[in-house]
Amino acid sequence: MSAGLDRDAASGHPPLAAGDPGARPPEDPALLELLLNLLAVHLTVMSLWYGLIAPWLRRGPRGEVVLGLLWQLTRVYVRVRHRLRVEGREHLPAGDGDHDGLIVVSNHTSAVDPFLLQAPARFWIRWMMAEDMMKPSLAWAWRLQRVIPVDRTAGDSRALRDAIRHLKSGGCVGVFPEARLVQPPGEI
């Protein structure tokens, strides 16, 4: 044996270098504790998400988590910023499957009106909107909400057919008959 070569006492082989495939990392209790704590936090967060938060968000319109989150944020916004007060909530359907087709008709005094009307409703309102008012930068929002675009320049009945199809399937369609903002602003 050479004088400078250390041997593993158990096997009699030279010790493995750190880069060798068979090398074991040194055991560090602090690192192991950190990893176990991260795992515990991850499991707790996932349990809360799947057990409480996601089901709560799915109670909103369409039963989707993303729209449920947006709906809950909208509810907070209209309560805090606009002090929304709803009268006759007991007359509203409890959810998307609780009606055979519903049309929501309202005057239109502000761009926030659809949010004010959607916030107290547990069913999804699919809004009809003039195509020329739909900003291209918000195309993702129009798709997410499945807005029914209305071409006011042509005699196309595509929007009307789409709205009727949605109503026949038990959906809800929202309409602002003025087709523009009415001045002066007032109550909805």
Side-chain angles (χ1 to χ4, degrees):
M1 276 198 189
S2 64
L5 186 61
D6 292 329
R7 300 255 175 203
D8 183 31
S11 69
H13 296 292
L16 296 172
D20 289 345
R24 291 182 55 200
E27 293 184 18
D28 183 359
L31 179 61
L32 183 60
E33 183 179 352
L34 175 67
L35 290 174
L36 288 175
N37 285 336
L38 287 174
L39 179 62
V41 167
H42 175 74
L43 290 174
T44 301
V45 168
M46 295 309 289
S47 296
L48 285 172
W49 175 259
Y50 286 107
L52 297 174
I53 298 170
W56 177 67
L57 293 175
R58 283 193 182 98
R59 290 190 323 198
R62 286 184 19 201
E64 297 175 14
V65 173
V66 173
L67 285 177
L69 176 63
L70 293 174
W71 180 64
Q72 294 294 355
L73 291 173
T74 298
R75 291 175 62 153
V76 170
Y77 169 74
V78 299
R79 283 184 188 151
V80 172
R81 175 72 172 96
H82 298 281
R83 297 187 195 121
L84 178 67
R85 185 175 50 95
V86 178
E87 295 177 11
R89 185 185 309 262
E90 66 276 4
H91 301 293
L92 293 175
D96 276 321
D98 292 345
H99 55 84
D100 293 329
L102 182 66
I103 300 174
V104 174
V105 180
S106 175
N107 59 334
H108 199 12
T109 61
S110 165
V112 76
D113 291 345
F115 300 103
L116 294 172
L117 292 165
Q118 182 65 71
R122 290 199 178 274
F123 51 90
W124 169 47
I125 303 172
R126 190 168 176 202
W127 293 98
M128 296 183 79
M129 183 175 180
E131 271 182 335
D132 57 315
M133 300 303 290
M134 298 172 77
K135 296 182 191 250
S137 61
L138 295 174
W140 63 271
W142 312 138
R143 281 191 306 274
L144 181 67
Q145 285 297 321
R146 298 184 190 155
V147 169
I148 301 171
V150 178
D151 184 359
R152 298 190 288 187
T153 61
D156 186 14
S157 62
R158 181 187 78 230
L160 186 57
R161 288 191 313 266
D162 196 9
I164 291 170
R165 192 175 314 113
H166 186 63
L167 289 167
K168 284 185 176 181
S169 69
C172 176
V173 173
V175 180
F176 296 112
E178 295 94 353
R180 60 182 168 77
L181 295 178
V182 177
Q183 297 299 328
E187 290 183 353
I188 294 182

